[in-house]
Amino acid sequence: MKLLDDRILQDGRSLPGGILKVDSFLNHQLDPNLMYEVAREFSRRFDNVSYNKIVTIEASGIAPAIMLGYIRQLPVVFIKKKQPSTMDGMLISEVHSFTKDRTYTVCISRNFLTPSDRVIFIDDFLAYGNAAMGMIDLARQSGASIAGMGFIIEKGFQGGGDRLRQMGYNIQSLAIVDSLDGCRITLRKQNTPVR
Ligand code: 5GP
């Protein structure tokens, strides 16, 4: 997606340890126009997929997910990183965050992820695929199925995308970073039309 590629090259910063900092439009300050275009692209890419719900994980997945939910007029649920004391009937999984180097207990209410749900999972980044594996585990526990997964930025060199595609999932990444070596951002050329 050219708009996104250009923005990553213009405003992204490559940090040591294979981390891409994009906090001026995605992880701290948010660009609503870009989020809307990102969601339109997800909507197009999942156009021939049948789904009734969008699931994301807090916090940075929420903005693109709610935009997609608005466009498709579908409910959006976010997986929580802290278990609320007021809720029972939660499904629980563990997700390791390599950017924060800690493991979270993540949870979602059984009321909002059910066997009748066909889900599109949306997140900001795909790195090793740990968050996605948490989603897969929660879906398995609930009986929901996963119709596809959409990521704004995939870091191709960390292998999560390859792993998930090998598992048979429909993975759509709007930008793919091939390398962050030498503080240089190298993006993969994808055959998507310029919009
Ligand atoms: P994964 O679970 O696929 O290993 O990593 C994805 C999660 O880690 C995303 O939800 C995102 O919050 C965070 N993450 C992974 N890599 C990066 C990165 O390079 N930059 C930022 N800002 N977040 C990242």
Side-chain angles (χ1 to χ4, degrees), residues 18-22 27 57 81 95-99 123-132 155 158 180:
I19 293 176
L20 179 63
K21 192 171 159 89
V22 284
N27 291 129
I57 183 159
K81 284 185 176 159
V95 170
H96 182 75
S97 163
F98 97 99
T99 46
D123 204 4
D124 57 343
F125 274 90
L126 171 59
Y128 294 95
N130 293 320
K155 291 186 293 179
Q158 287 173 333
L180 292 173

Side-chain angles (χ1 to χ4, degrees), residues 36-52:
Y36 181 67
E37 290 305 325
V38 155
R40 288 211 318 163
E41 182 65 21
F42 281 136
S43 176
R44 275 189 286 262
R45 292 195 186 200
F46 293 119
D47 202 26
N48 53 9
V49 171
S50 149
Y51 58 103
N52 67 320

Side-chain angles (χ1 to χ4, degrees), residues 78-183:
F78 64 90
I79 296 168
K80 289 174 175 261
K81 284 185 176 159
K82 263 194 196 145
Q83 193 172 358
S85 54
T86 51
M87 286 173 99
D88 39 58
M90 301 298 278
L91 302 165
I92 290 170
S93 191
E94 302 263 288
V95 170
H96 182 75
S97 163
F98 97 99
T99 46
K100 301 210 169 72
D101 194 21
R102 56 170 284 203
T103 298
Y104 293 92
T105 300
V106 298
C107 61
I108 191 166
S109 166
R110 284 181 192 278
N111 294 332
F112 304 132
L113 193 63
T114 70
S116 56
D117 285 328
R118 277 185 63 77
V119 164
I120 293 288
F121 176 66
I122 295 289
D123 204 4
D124 57 343
F125 274 90
L126 171 59
Y128 294 95
N130 293 320
M133 293 304 293
M135 171 75 249
I136 290 168
D137 184 35
L138 292 171
R140 185 191 51 77
Q141 292 180 49
S142 72
S145 53
I146 296 177
M149 300 196 191
F151 301 92
I152 300 181
I153 303 173
E154 174 179 341
K155 291 186 293 179
F157 58 92
Q158 287 173 333
D162 292 343
R163 181 177 171 205
L164 293 166
R165 288 183 186 97
Q166 270 161 21
M167 290 169 76
Y169 289 101
N170 177 0
I171 305 297
Q172 298 293 330
S173 300
L174 305 191
I176 302 181
V177 180
D178 269 336
S179 159
L180 292 173
D181 290 348
C183 291

